[in-house]
Every structure is written in C-alpha cells, then in structure tokens.
Amino acid sequence: METAVQRTEPPAPQHVPWTPQLVRVMAGLMASLFLAAIDATVVGTAGPTIARDLGHFELYPWIFTAYLLVGTTTVPLWGRVADLFGRRWVLLVGIGMFVVASPLCMTSRSMVTLIAFRALQGVGAGCIQPVVFTVVGDIFPVRQRARLQGFFSSMWAISAVLGPAVGALLVSTLGWQWIFGINLPIGVLAMALLWGYRERRGTRDTGGLDFRGAALLTAAIVLLLLGAGAGSTHAQPNLALLAVGLVLLAGFVWLELRNPNPTVPLDLLRHRVLGPALVVVTLGGALMFGVTAYVPIYVQNVLGGSPYQAGAAVGLMSLGWPAGSIISGFTLVRVGYARLLVLGTGALLGGAVVLVLGAASGVLWLAAACALIGLGMGFFSSPTLIVIQSSVEWGRRGAATALNQFCRTIGSSVGVALMGVLLQAALTAGPTRGALQHGLSAVFWVQLGLAAATMLTALVILRMREPVLATT
C-alpha cells in the first residue's frame, strides 16, 4: 500500500543520557500509565458492588466493554493524530479527556449512565498507552528501550497493590463513586510533568484522519455484540443485528483497503512477522481482561470472599506482568523474540489450567492463576511492541503502536462481552450461587481455550525466521 510518509527520520543516538528534563518527562509518562492502570484495578474490584447498587446485573459486562470498546476504536485515530501533529499535545489532550470524564462517572445514578460515561472515559484512555509508548520509542534506542519496559510495567504493579486496597476502602466508606475521584490528582500531575516535553520529530505523515472508518468499526462491533446477546436479559442472539453488524464490518474492511490513510493499517496485518504476533496479542488481551472482569465475581459471589480478597487475587496479575517485562527486557537481544513469545504463552496456558482446575479450591488458587497469566503477558507484550516499532519509520510509529494496543483491546472488549453472554445464559433460571458458579466455570474453560490458541500461534512463529530489530 502506498503511503505519504518518506522513510527518513532524525538520527537517534545509541544511548540517551539521563538529564533532569528527561527524568521529568519519564515521570510524567509513568504517571500517565499509572492513571490508566489504577482505574482498571479499582473498577475491577468495585464492579460487583456497583452492579448490586445500580441493578441490571445483565449490563455488568458493559461497565468494562463500553470503556474498552470506545478506547479500542479510538486508539488508531489517536495514533494517526500523534503522527500528524506530534506526540506532546495529543497526549495532554487525551489525559485531559480522561480526567474530565472521571467526575461524570461519579454522578451516575443508573447502570446506563455509568456505561455512557465510562465510554466517554474510554475516549481519553484510548490515547494514553499507545502515545506513551510511542514517545518512549521516539526517545530511546532498542536496547535501552527494552530494559526500560520493566520500569513502565511497574506502574501496573504499584496500581495492583494500591488499587484494590484503595478501591475496597472507598467502596466500604465513602461509596463506589469515589473510585473515579482518585483520577483527578494523578491526571493533573501527569499533565504538569509533561508540559515542557520537547519531542524529536521525524518526517510527518501528510495524510488525513479516517473518521468514516472509525465510525463504521465502532457501529459494527456494537451491533455484533448486541446481536450476540450482550446486555440482554435472555442472552439470545439477534440474527438481524448480527447480519447488519457483519455487513458494516465488511464495509469497514473494504473502505480501509482502499484508503491511503486508514484508521487501522491493515497492511501491517499482512506482515510475515507482525500478523501472527498481533493474533497472539488479540487472544492474550481477551484472556487477560476476561480474568480481570470475572475472577472478582467468582471470589465474592461464589466463594463468599471480600472485595479486598477479590482485588488481591486479580492484583497478582499486575505484579507478574512487570516481573515478566523486566526479564524479557534484559534477555530479548540474547534469547530472541520468538522464544520469549513461546515462554510467555506457556505461562498463560499454565495459569488458565490452574484457573479451571483450582477455582473452587479457594482464593489462593485463583491468585496463583492470575500471577501466572500476568507473568506470561509480561514475557511477550514488551518484545512484541518493540518488534512492531522497529518495523516502521517515525511517521508510522504512532499508528503501528496504536495497532498493537488496538488488537489487545478489541480482543478484550469482544471477549469480555461474549463471556458475559455465556454467563448470562447460565443465569436464565435465576441468579443463584450454583448457577453463577456453573456459568463462571464455563467462562474459565473459554479462557483456557484462548490460552491454548495463543501458544499454538506462538509455536508457529517460533518456526519462522527471527525478526531483525533495528538499532534505533
């Protein structure tokens, strides 16, 4: 596919020295990631309480799905805007939108309004992670960047410790509404630290923004999820909605293949290395967010645990992730991307097996499963991102980084919603503890299937030639 970007970019040093300004920028980037990370851990812990307070339990998955869906479909647009206008202002605008949407979530008095405001919050969230890692890719060469991934992943570890505890404290004292209030000081701090960032720019993309493609994609996915039964009290498929969703999805693909400035750069999906890797990212995202959404329900409503126990169990996933990222960062060049991918997906499979076989045995088994899954995600997520960024020039780095995030979150939003359909089908006779346990057990088996599929894809990649990483 033709592109308006020339393959020229400013020369990057082999090692970037640390200056006070760089330290300030890195602190701002980490604070931005922490903002998104702690929101995920806090809301995951408070989800069952929110569902009991606002009612309409069948809409519970949409607290996560609306946030992930809108964040997913706006990620490619944010990546394109970052390539067109630079990273700094785009990131500041995205953080600002996330912060403004947070108090709106606090005002929600029904499940529908909360879902709507979570969708608005997702617009800002769609900017943060891809643009943050695009900035890191702009500043640091590959070897230095790989070793820094563990430090950025530590934001998820810190949020895993603080988020569940803070969330449970707020839910039990001030109320669940205040879990969104903690976003305000974190977001303002991140914006202040990033205000003076002076980015090193290469040749800009001269294309435009594909709003039609983004709108088609969003409408197609929403209709497919609704058609599959997400949000329905009977979880029955609607064939008419499914048909319209498939037509819109086909129209989106047709439009993107003919657009020189597509919302989703489909040409990268045809890449010999990136295509299979993004399949792993998509399946891994569905597994990870499925565990985040449904393990807390199992702990609290089946095992009778507290919000603290639910948060601690899921929180171990965010502790395993940075551990895997640190190991992969220091071993990527020596071990190779493909081997790390197999190792990571193997850990995912092991965690899913523990989840299926040990869920009924207690919270510790669930916590061990979450830790293994987080470790596996850390092993392959950072190397995959580095391979993607090394395969494109500056003018497409934002779009390529966004594609990585897009694949993970599209897998997450669709996966969480369809698992919700399966759970709701088990509850048609009534939301009893036995029915809930049966439905969640079925969800865990689906997650085991996802883990097995990720490892099979990784084994295929292992048989291919190892990609050559650029030095900058």
Side-chain angles (χ1 to χ4, degrees), residues 39-64 111 114 164 167-168 171-172 175-177 179-180 290-312 314 423 436 440:
D39 181 83
T41 56
V42 168
V43 174
T45 303
T49 303
I50 294 174
R52 287 196 298 269
D53 189 10
L54 299 182
H56 295 286
F57 183 81
E58 72 278 2
L59 296 178
Y60 169 80
W62 283 91
I63 298 176
F64 303 92
M111 186 69 80
L114 176 60
V171 168
S172 59
W176 61 262
Q177 292 85 352
I179 65 175
F180 300 104
V291 170
T292 301
Y294 294 108
V295 164
I297 300 179
Y298 195 95
V299 171
Q300 295 184 64
N301 295 353
V302 175
L303 298 180
S306 67
Y308 289 98
Q309 291 175 311
V314 175
L423 176 60
L436 188 61
L440 288 172

Side-chain angles (χ1 to χ4, degrees), residues 43-383:
V43 174
T45 303
T49 303
I50 294 174
R52 287 196 298 269
D53 189 10
L54 299 182
H56 295 286
F57 183 81
E58 72 278 2
L59 296 178
Y60 169 80
W62 283 91
I63 298 176
F64 303 92
T65 301
Y67 176 84
L68 291 170
L69 177 61
V70 176
T72 297
T73 53
T74 57
V75 158
L77 284 177
W78 284 118
R80 289 282 299 157
V81 172
D83 287 339
L84 288 169
F85 303 108
R87 329 298 196 198
R88 173 174 172 259
W89 282 110
V90 173
L91 183 54
L92 290 173
V93 169
I95 297 171
M97 293 183 69
F98 189 94
V99 169
V100 169
S102 296
L104 294 177
C105 292
M106 297 176 65
T107 66
S108 299
R109 294 296 179 266
S110 70
M111 186 69 80
V112 173
T113 56
L114 176 60
I115 290 170
F117 291 140
R118 282 285 285 170
L120 181 61
Q121 194 179 41
V123 176
C127 170
I128 293 175
Q129 185 163 321
V131 179
V132 163
F133 283 111
T134 301
V135 172
V136 175
D138 290 344
I139 295 175
F140 297 102
V142 167
R143 188 179 295 271
Q144 197 173 0
R145 192 190 323 158
R147 294 179 177 178
L148 284 170
Q149 295 297 339
F151 293 100
F152 282 94
S153 297
S154 68
M155 294 300 98
W156 294 92
I158 295 172
S159 71
V161 175
L162 294 181
V166 171
L169 177 63
L170 292 175
V171 168
S172 59
T173 54
L174 299 177
W176 61 262
Q177 292 85 352
W178 287 93
I179 65 175
F180 300 104
I182 61 176
N183 295 331
L184 300 177
I186 302 172
V188 171
L189 174 63
M191 295 176 70
L193 291 170
L194 292 170
W195 193 262
Y197 169 54
R198 296 292 181 264
E199 60 187 294
R200 178 179 62 87
R201 297 185 181 180
T203 303
R204 286 187 180 183
D205 192 323
T206 58
L209 295 174
D210 179 25
F211 290 107
R212 288 186 305 169
L216 268 178
L217 178 62
T218 303
I221 295 174
V222 169
L223 289 175
L224 287 173
L225 292 178
L226 292 175
S232 169
T233 55
H234 302 292
Q236 294 296 323
N238 186 311
L239 297 181
L241 290 180
L242 285 173
V244 175
L246 288 173
V247 170
L248 291 180
L249 186 61
F252 165 77
V253 174
W254 182 87
L255 180 66
E256 297 300 278
L257 290 175
R258 288 157 179 78
N259 193 336
N261 305 296
T263 297
V264 180
L266 297 178
D267 59 309
L268 293 181
L269 297 178
R270 296 194 297 266
H271 192 282
R272 182 183 61 84
V273 173
L274 302 189
L278 290 172
V279 171
V280 172
V281 170
T282 304
L283 296 173
L287 171 61
M288 179 186 68
F289 279 92
V291 170
T292 301
Y294 294 108
V295 164
I297 300 179
Y298 195 95
V299 171
Q300 295 184 64
N301 295 353
V302 175
L303 298 180
S306 67
Y308 289 98
Q309 291 175 311
V314 175
L316 284 182
M317 182 186 298
S318 296
L319 292 177
W321 189 310
S325 292
I326 292 173
I327 296 171
S328 66
F330 280 92
T331 60
L332 173 61
V333 176
R334 296 194 305 272
V335 174
Y337 155 74
R339 291 186 180 90
L340 286 174
L341 197 61
V342 172
L343 183 62
T345 56
L348 253 64
L349 183 59
V353 170
V354 173
L355 186 64
V356 167
L357 298 182
S361 299
V363 177
L364 289 179
W365 281 92
L366 293 171
C370 291
L372 272 175
I373 291 171
L375 183 68
M377 293 295 295
F379 274 135
F380 69 78
S381 295
S382 296

